[in-house]
Amino acid sequence: MINNVYKIIADAVTPLMPSWGISELPRFEVQTPKIEAHGDLATNLAMLLARPLRRAPRQVAEEIKAAIEQATDAFSAIEIAGPGFINFRFGNAFWHGNLYKILHEDRAYLRPDIGGGARVQVEFVSANPTGPLHIGHGRGAAVGLALSNLLSAAGFGVEREFYINDAGRQVKLLGLSVHIRYRQLLGEAVELPEDSYRGDYIADAAQALIDEKGDTYRNMAFEDCREEIVDWSYKRMLADLKADLESFGVVFDTWKSEKSLFASGKVADALDALRAAGHVYEKDGAVWFASSAFGDEKDRVVVKADGEFTYFASDIAYHKDKLDRGFDSIIDIWGADHHGYISRVGAALQAFGLDRDKFRVLLVQIVSLLRGGEPVKMSKRSGEFITLREVVDEVGADIAKFIFLTRRCDSHLDFDIETAKAQSSENPVYYVQYAHARINSIFRQAPSKGFQGVDRNAMGTIDVSCLVEADEIGLIKKLCRYPAVFEGAATSCEPHRITYYLQELAGEFHAFYRNHRVLVEDDRQLGLARMALARAVEVVLHEGLSILGVNAPEEM
RNA sequence: GCGCCCGUAGCUCAGUUGGAUAGAGCAGCUGCCUUCUAAGCAGCUGGCCGGGGGUUCGAAUCCCUCCGGGCGUACCA
């Protein structure tokens, strides 16, 4: 809609350019005004032209208005207002026409193609397989899921990836922790080191190891069975992560192993390539990547003096590998505490001669878990924390996801379990789902109210021209805003815009529902038209919720 | 010290990438169930957009500078 109008304006005005003495139009905007009195769409073109033409903006606006009226009858009114805005209004027929597009579930309408098939990889969660997921991972998962759905709907070829940190110190520590617990369970008097993992899940793993392997590793030094135990332990943890994510509704396309990057020589190759290009040097017994040459604050170590690779070394190889796999862009979703890594990873990509603009990071801020307004105490060291699974079991996946998506991801989020659990108006999820359920209820009632045999999947043939009341037209206008919201959300990678839109749409529907009967028994035509409108609302609610990864229930 | 993020109603937060008179939800008051689901609707109250400068037709939004909060600043992950 906006794009069409942009073109109409540009085409209508182009013939005027010679007389204005300009060869190019400024980058003007077409927007939906906040206030209804300002029309359905507005452009700032006249104000932008005022300066180069050295004329009063309203005077320029008059000229533009005349040109547009000459060129098209698409608008029912064109008005000049304020400092020089040109406001456009559409007639009811225009809105009825748009309603048909939604009723035909025109994909090109609800899902404008902005990706053009470009391949995007979204990497998210990527939690260390050393313990259960916590609430922060849940937020990352919800954002990653919604973003993937959004981009996929917008015409990108999306691949969801989970990066497994199965090569570093953390998984070794996990293995050690499990081994020691294992020996304790078998009666040995051994102590857990200070920095090891604790928590019941370690003991559970140790018990499972006994069940599976007996006392095979009982009298062995950790070093002698390290590989087997580490391997066994993290795979067990990973299986749990995967199961938790699946029950949260998140499924990945690929699981990329850090260890495999080492095994295939990609880490060594990447460092060699940097070395060959002169971006690597040795100092103090360590190997450094000269990232400061590419905008990083300082150079970074890639191989420590003890010969171990740093986490950053495999990260360099990993991100190079992502682009080598042919993605047009790669999006990482990280916890906000990792923001310092953005510039160094970007530096590495640039050093390889790759386009670092293809690399984008979404930072997801910390989640504060509350219960009834009080912070929930969590201590990682003692293993006392509430897991994502526990939260999801308590409040439900839909609610958790929706709440995670009610904020921009770079702002802090308070997640109150009690509030989330409450089946009350405090809960925005229900508000939206309820609208969807109400519409379904209408269609269930229809046959008993004189509307037998109305197929709600085929309402595109119903004459809706009798929908002329302010509530009705307003609701249609709201529906027509969806594509623009969708496009904005996709291009800015901000799925929360969909969340807000859905709340607004649900609100308008609830008001409409309260004020007008849909199944009007003494006016069949009006009843059918309103059913068509309700159906369109249902389609858009369903569409939006599906992007958020939230269910749209038919009954509540 | 340096870097990144944030500061908007009592609380939690949006704000269409610089637009017109600043928006929701919750909390607080007031009404609305004999009619398709009251998990709902209508109304009232609530603001120096952290402070101060600047950029321009126009700033919550961009720049500078203070104040205040979070995070980062490892041969940790």
Side-chain angles (χ1 to χ4, degrees), chain A residues 341-361:
Chain A
Y341 277 77
I342 298 174
S343 58
R344 73 186 70 168
V345 173
L349 293 176
Q350 195 181 340
F352 285 120
L354 296 166
D355 181 1
R356 73 188 284 175
D357 292 334
K358 290 180 175 177
F359 168 63
R360 179 162 181 182
V361 178

Side-chain angles (χ1 to χ4, degrees), chain A residues 307-440:
Chain A
E308 292 278 309
F309 289 96
T310 60
Y311 176 84
F312 180 49
S314 47
D315 244 16
I316 289 173
Y318 177 42
H319 284 83
K320 177 181 188 298
D321 180 63
K322 287 188 186 198
L323 288 182
D324 287 347
R325 279 188 262 164
F327 292 108
D328 296 298
S329 69
I330 54 178
I331 301 174
D332 288 13
I333 297 178
W334 292 350
D337 53 340
H338 287 66
H339 71 249
Y341 277 77
I342 298 174
S343 58
R344 73 186 70 168
V345 173
L349 293 176
Q350 195 181 340
F352 285 120
L354 296 166
D355 181 1
R356 73 188 284 175
D357 292 334
K358 290 180 175 177
F359 168 63
R360 179 162 181 182
V361 178
L362 253 54
L363 295 176
V364 177
Q365 269 291 354
I366 305 300
V367 180
S368 306
L369 196 60
L370 308 174
R371 188 182 283 280
E374 294 299 315
V376 176
K377 281 187 204 155
M378 291 217 246
S379 157
K380 203 171 181 179
R381 202 174 55 244
S382 67
E384 251 182 70
F385 51 81
I386 299 196
T387 63
L388 176 64
R389 173 168 283 280
E390 288 167 319
V391 173
V392 169
D393 284 348
E394 193 168 347
V395 310
D398 278 346
I399 294 174
K401 275 187 274 196
F402 197 92
I403 291 175
F404 286 138
L405 295 168
T406 52
R407 308 261 182 282
R408 344 167 3 128
C409 58
D410 56 5
S411 92
H412 292 263
L413 172 65
D414 286 340
F415 189 105
D416 194 311
I417 296 176
E418 292 304 325
T419 311
K421 236 174 24 173
Q423 296 203 359
S424 73
S425 53
E426 287 180 64
N427 214 319
V429 198
Y430 292 126
Y431 188 76
V432 176
Q433 290 185 324
Y434 187 51
H436 187 266
R438 267 184 156 173
I439 294 166
N440 276 271

Side-chain angles (χ1 to χ4, degrees), chain A residues 490-556:
Chain A
T491 54
S492 63
C493 294
E494 292 182 354
H496 76 276
R497 294 192 192 191
I498 303 283
T499 315
Y500 273 87
Y501 170 83
L502 290 177
Q503 293 183 69
E504 289 168 16
L505 175 60
E508 290 210 23
F509 177 75
H510 285 310
F512 164 77
Y513 178 91
R514 185 71 186 176
N515 293 335
H516 305 281
R517 193 172 173 79
V518 174
L519 304 172
V520 192
E521 290 172 73
D522 55 4
D523 187 344
R524 184 173 174 81
Q525 193 52 50
L526 182 59
L528 286 171
R530 285 187 176 158
M531 285 171 81
L533 176 55
R535 168 61 186 170
V537 174
E538 184 200 355
V539 167
V540 174
L541 286 175
H542 189 94
E543 168 74 11
L545 285 171
S546 76
I547 282 176
L548 302 183
V550 174
N551 284 301
E554 296 185 3
E555 265 181 281
M556 286 174 72

Side-chain angles (χ1 to χ4, degrees), chain A residues 6-116:
Chain A
Y6 190 100
K7 194 171 184 311
I8 288 171
I9 296 171
D11 288 349
V13 160
T14 299
L16 296 174
M17 282 163 45
S19 70
W20 287 342
I22 58 172
S23 57
E24 213 176 310
L25 284 177
R27 279 219 333 245
F28 65 99
E29 281 171 20
V30 177
Q31 293 187 325
T32 42
K34 283 181 243 176
I35 299 167
E36 209 182 328
H38 295 154
D40 296 318
L41 287 175
T43 182
N44 61 348
L45 177 58
M47 290 181 295
L48 295 175
L49 283 169
R51 185 147 54 187
L53 303 189
R54 294 168 62 181
R55 288 168 55 190
R58 292 186 67 111
Q59 193 194 359
V60 180
E62 288 291 350
E63 204 177 331
I64 293 170
K65 177 187 165 182
I68 295 171
E69 281 173 339
Q70 180 84 33
T72 178
D73 56 0
F75 308 104
S76 66
I78 302 177
E79 295 146 12
I80 292 161
F85 286 101
I86 305 172
N87 298 334
F88 304 94
R89 245 171 247 285
F90 296 108
N92 287 348
F94 172 84
W95 299 113
H96 296 149
N98 277 282
L99 181 55
Y100 284 127
K101 290 184 182 171
I102 296 170
L103 290 170
H104 285 114
E105 297 186 51
D106 184 344
R107 283 216 141 178
Y109 187 80
L110 283 182
R111 302 183 166 190
D113 181 11
I114 53 186

